[in-house]
Amino acid sequence: MTSKKVYFKQGDELSLIQFSKFLLPSLLGIFMFVMPVTVDGNSTIVVALVMAVLRAPIDHILPEISVSFLGFAALGAAVYLLFRPSWMLQRPVLLAFCETTPVWFLMRLLGFAVACMVFFDTGPALLRQADTGGTALNVIAPALLFTIGVACILLPLLTDFGLLEFTGTMLRRPFERLFTLPGRAAIDAASSIFAAASVGLLLTFKQYEDGRYTVREAASVATNFSIVSLPFSLVVAATARVDHLFFPWYLSVVAACIVCAAIMVRLRPLKTLPDSYYEPVGKTVNEEKDDQYTLVQWALREAVMRAAAAPKPHRLFVRGLQSAVVTLAKVMGPSLAIVTASSIIVFHSPAMEALSWPIYQLLDLVGVPEAQKVAPGVIGGFLEMLIPSLVAASVDSELMRFVLAGLSVSQLIYMSEVGVLILRSKVPLSFINLLQIFLLRTVILFPLLMLAGWLLV
């Protein structure tokens, strides 16, 4: 490197301005999404602080904002299904906001109905309780608004300025050998761990739609690396009463997830998915390195070339805002409907006890402590991520609280958020696929977490 040029090899040079276009936004993206910081003794990330700052002035009117947004999403979907007017079809963003199927429209409508009942304090009392519809409107809805909204606007720092190209090239061999995945997946994993599962998912979906993941790669990343974020894991650990073991517990969870991912990508249904790219775009990434370059030189070259093609900042902002609005329209209503239904099934009906009876018999057979109490938590995570940790709170065995808290963070396929996001994405995974993956992950993770618990508790 000279004062004016960056050299990859003799005769191949780029200006420092071009190099800076890669380096500065990428460092900012790492700082925002990946770098942990401590504020008032609590571990968090910068993007979470941004969300908190943006949320504070409007926190008192978030229920009104949520109900209004859900109403517009339901109304737009109804107009699309009934009339499909030309003024809607000719506007791509508006069409993406409203376009849906009858089943997903019903889910939007149910989510809107629950929000209205809670907000106006009317309708069946069961739907309005704090642990059913109240949680949906007052906890889940604001979390989705700010996580998806802020993430969609800031994600270009990770995706459009070369960081994925650089990381993907440098980590290509380890990720290929361990997970049969490109090295770019490392950024998705880090975004999930330090930011939020939905952030990592949005990053994965964007790479798939940009022609940078195959169907198999996108599905494998989405279902194996969307670990619940580090800050929220603190909440899970506290809920399950294992926060005094937080660091060994969390390291155990990460280790179990790595082992689980290495196994899952080699099992059905993931291993049988096609290695084909998103059809409207095709393959847009070159994985082959020119032998004239060293690994670092090639990674840097790919990154700078990607950054050079990045849109202007204002275009990225508008595109991110549009993506946020469209994504929220697709997932917010269904998520609220699923959270409410899940809470009723788990906490206000005998259904979960009946569904978990085979699990109870199996756990009791192998001598798991408090098997009858633990069983609902083992499968409840498919409906909502917090259910295993909420079940753990009533369990006396510290070992089983350790395990259930680990499942809460690592099962990943909870339908109240991650499941809906995947089903509403372009990645072709069905509900049955997600159920298969959830069950396989649980079978693999449970003994790994039990082993860790025996060693640490």
Side-chain angles (χ1 to χ4, degrees):
M1 183 184 297
T2 68
S3 60
K4 295 183 179 180
K5 300 290 183 181
V6 177
Y7 288 88
F8 301 114
K9 64 183 181 64
Q10 190 64 32
D12 188 359
E13 59 186 36
L14 292 170
S15 69
L16 283 177
I17 292 177
Q18 292 172 303
F19 177 70
S20 298
K21 191 174 181 181
F22 149 64
L23 185 64
L24 297 181
S26 297
L27 289 177
L28 181 58
I30 292 171
F31 176 69
M32 295 291 290
F33 284 96
V34 178
M35 189 69 66
V37 295
T38 301
V39 178
D40 296 331
N42 297 316
S43 178
T44 186
I45 51 167
V46 176
V47 74
L49 297 178
V50 172
M51 293 178 197
V53 169
L54 293 175
R55 178 171 175 168
I58 60 172
D59 195 57
H60 62 290
I61 59 169
L62 281 178
E64 289 90 339
I65 293 173
S66 298
V67 171
S68 300
F69 185 88
L70 289 164
F72 280 117
L75 178 62
V79 172
Y80 169 81
L81 289 174
L82 292 173
F83 306 109
R84 305 201 179 191
S86 58
W87 53 266
M88 179 183 290
L89 300 178
Q90 293 168 2
R91 292 168 172 80
V93 177
L94 181 60
L95 177 60
F97 179 87
C98 299
E99 188 176 19
T100 190
T101 65
V103 172
W104 286 109
F105 166 67
L106 179 61
M107 296 292 282
R108 288 194 194 195
L109 197 59
L110 288 173
F112 175 53
V114 168
C116 285
M117 283 186 279
V118 174
F119 184 75
F120 294 107
D121 196 23
T122 187
L126 181 60
L127 296 176
R128 295 182 280 115
Q129 292 189 18
D131 60 355
T132 57
T135 297
L137 179 62
N138 299 316
V139 178
I140 302 299
L144 287 172
L145 277 172
F146 282 91
T147 301
I148 292 177
V150 174
C152 283
I153 292 171
L154 296 179
L155 270 180
L157 294 171
L158 298 179
T159 62
D160 285 52
F161 293 93
L163 180 61
L164 294 176
E165 281 72 13
F166 184 83
T167 306
T169 301
M170 295 299 295
L171 296 178
R172 179 183 173 190
R173 295 303 180 198
F175 257 72
E176 280 183 350
R177 290 173 182 172
L178 188 57
F179 304 117
T180 68
L181 294 170
R184 295 185 303 280
I187 293 294
D188 298 46
S191 297
S192 297
I193 292 171
F194 292 109
S198 54
V199 173
L201 283 172
L202 293 171
L203 179 54
T204 301
F205 300 154
K206 186 175 188 304
Q207 289 207 74
Y208 174 66
E209 292 171 25
D210 287 347
R212 301 162 63 75
Y213 277 153
T214 66
V215 172
R216 181 188 62 81
E217 291 168 351
S220 297
V221 173
T223 57
N224 284 289
F225 294 104
S226 299
I227 303 172
V228 175
S229 68
L230 179 60
F232 203 78
S233 294
L234 291 165
V235 177
V236 170
T239 302
R241 296 189 288 135
V242 294
D243 44 325
H244 59 290
L245 297 169
F246 180 76
F247 285 108
W249 168 78
Y250 191 75
L251 290 175
S252 300
V253 169
V254 172
C257 284
I258 291 172
V259 173
C260 185
I263 297 172
M264 287 293 300
V265 296
R266 292 170 170 86
L267 300 177
R268 292 175 180 269
L270 294 178
K271 79 166 187 177
T272 57
L273 294 174
D275 269 314
S276 56
Y277 289 85
Y278 184 46
E279 191 171 331
V281 178
K283 184 178 180 179
T284 61
V285 62
N286 177 25
E287 299 285 356
E288 298 300 321
K289 181 179 79 69
D290 190 327
D291 290 338
Q292 299 179 69
Y293 297 85
T294 67
L295 182 64
V296 175
Q297 287 173 338
W298 184 255
L300 189 58
R301 180 182 184 277
E302 291 291 295
V304 172
M305 290 177 64
R306 171 69 173 173
K312 299 292 184 183
H314 71 280
R315 291 186 178 274
L316 288 174
F317 176 81
V318 171
R319 190 178 73 185
L321 188 60
Q322 292 171 343
S323 176
V325 171
V326 169
T327 302
L328 284 167
K330 291 179 181 297
V331 306
M332 194 168 168
S335 291
L336 267 61
I338 291 172
V339 167
T340 305
S342 301
S343 300
I344 291 171
I345 290 171
V346 174
F347 300 114
H348 298 277
S349 83
M352 184 55 68
E353 184 177 344
L355 289 171
S356 63
W357 185 84
I359 306 296
Y360 156 58
Q361 296 297 319
L362 180 60
L363 296 181
D364 189 54
L365 183 65
V366 297
V368 170
E370 300 180 75
Q372 191 168 9
K373 283 186 178 181
V374 169
V378 173
I379 61 171
F382 184 66
L383 300 174
E384 160 57 29
M385 179 268 292
L386 274 174
I387 287 174
S389 61
L390 290 172
V391 171
S394 64
V395 173
D396 295 326
S397 169
E398 189 169 66
L399 169 62
M400 297 320 300
R401 293 202 307 273
F402 183 100
V403 172
L404 286 174
L407 289 177
S408 201
V409 172
S410 61
Q411 284 175 314
L412 308 190
I413 313 297
Y414 50 98
M415 295 305 298
S416 62
E417 182 181 350
V418 167
V420 173
L421 279 169
I422 293 174
L423 291 175
R424 300 299 283 142
S425 75
K426 301 292 195 304
V427 180
L429 284 172
S430 67
F431 176 82
I432 296 300
N433 291 150
L434 295 184
L435 180 58
Q436 289 174 317
I437 292 167
F438 171 84
L439 293 174
L440 283 171
R441 288 190 64 85
T442 303
V443 169
I444 295 168
L445 288 165
F446 191 87
L448 293 175
L449 292 170
M450 285 289 289
L451 177 61
W454 277 324
L455 294 174
L456 296 170
V457 172

